[in-house]
Amino acid sequence: MMVSRTIFAGALLLNASLAMALDLGGLKSAVGVGNGSPLETVNKSLADQQIRDGQFEFKVGKAEFAPGNEKRIKGLLKVLTNYSGTLKVAFPSYRVTAVGHTDADGTAASNQKLSLARANKVCSELKAKGLTVPCEPVGVGSSQPLVAPEKSPADKQRNRRVLVQVTK
């Protein structure tokens, strides 16, 4: 009788250990451990979405959306919603950051102000459409161009952008 109790207790411990290992494995895959960090995964998905939908477009010299940005907001919200559970587990106080960029026209001060206003516009639209976590607007003016020097209107357009990412 004592031997069967010992075997039974050992089997219970083994089953409990296996169950805990399975639960931890599920948690690791949920937060992206072993597959790159959750932030890397989410930010890659956000970048891919922004490439698919294109850059936010604004009226020249203003922080007002040009027509056609609704799909960009919806696409970003879809990605953020899909990963919200994973992010909340991995980083309970995560936030969204919108980084505004301008072309090289204008002064450094005016470009800084415009890039921040445009980033703020994107944050405001995301919040208005359902974003429930903080969104931090950041303006970097023309200090981080994709194309330099700007030789054409297309080059300038590539440098005018607001990129949305997730941070801890």
Side-chain angles (χ1 to χ4, degrees):
M1 183 71 159
M2 184 62 122
V3 171
S4 64
R5 282 187 188 164
T6 304
I7 292 172
F8 181 70
L12 283 176
L13 283 173
L14 180 61
N15 283 339
S17 296
L18 287 173
M20 286 176 57
L22 290 174
D23 288 346
L24 289 176
L27 179 61
K28 285 179 182 178
S29 67
V31 298
V33 173
N35 303 332
S37 77
L39 287 179
E40 289 173 9
T41 302
V42 175
N43 285 334
K44 180 176 181 342
S45 293
L46 286 167
D48 290 347
Q49 185 69 42
Q50 290 170 101
I51 290 168
R52 275 192 301 278
D53 289 343
Q55 297 179 163
F56 285 102
E57 295 182 10
F58 294 88
K59 294 181 180 177
V60 176
K62 298 183 178 182
E64 296 175 32
F65 277 153
N69 286 306
E70 185 69 24
K71 73 175 182 174
R72 293 171 182 95
I73 293 290
K74 285 182 180 180
L76 292 174
L77 283 173
K78 183 178 179 183
V79 171
L80 292 166
T81 300
N82 288 345
Y83 286 102
S84 65
T86 299
L87 289 167
K88 285 178 186 173
V89 169
F91 310 105
S93 59
Y94 79 95
R95 65 188 180 282
V96 171
T97 302
V99 181
H101 302 262
T102 65
D103 60 34
D105 290 350
T107 67
S110 65
N111 283 337
Q112 173 63 34
K113 184 177 176 182
L114 180 59
S115 65
L116 180 59
R118 287 178 172 174
N120 196 38
K121 174 67 172 172
V122 170
C123 282
S124 295
E125 286 297 313
L126 287 168
K127 296 292 265 180
K129 300 294 183 188
L131 182 68
T132 58
V133 298
C135 185
E136 178 184 350
V138 176
V140 296
S142 61
S143 67
Q144 299 173 12
L146 292 176
V147 180
E150 298 172 342
K151 295 180 181 179
S152 69
D155 291 347
K156 290 179 183 296
Q157 178 60 38
R158 285 198 62 212
N159 287 335
R160 290 190 298 262
R161 64 200 187 279
V162 175
L163 302 176
V164 176
Q165 296 285 274
V166 172
T167 55
K168 296 185 213 183

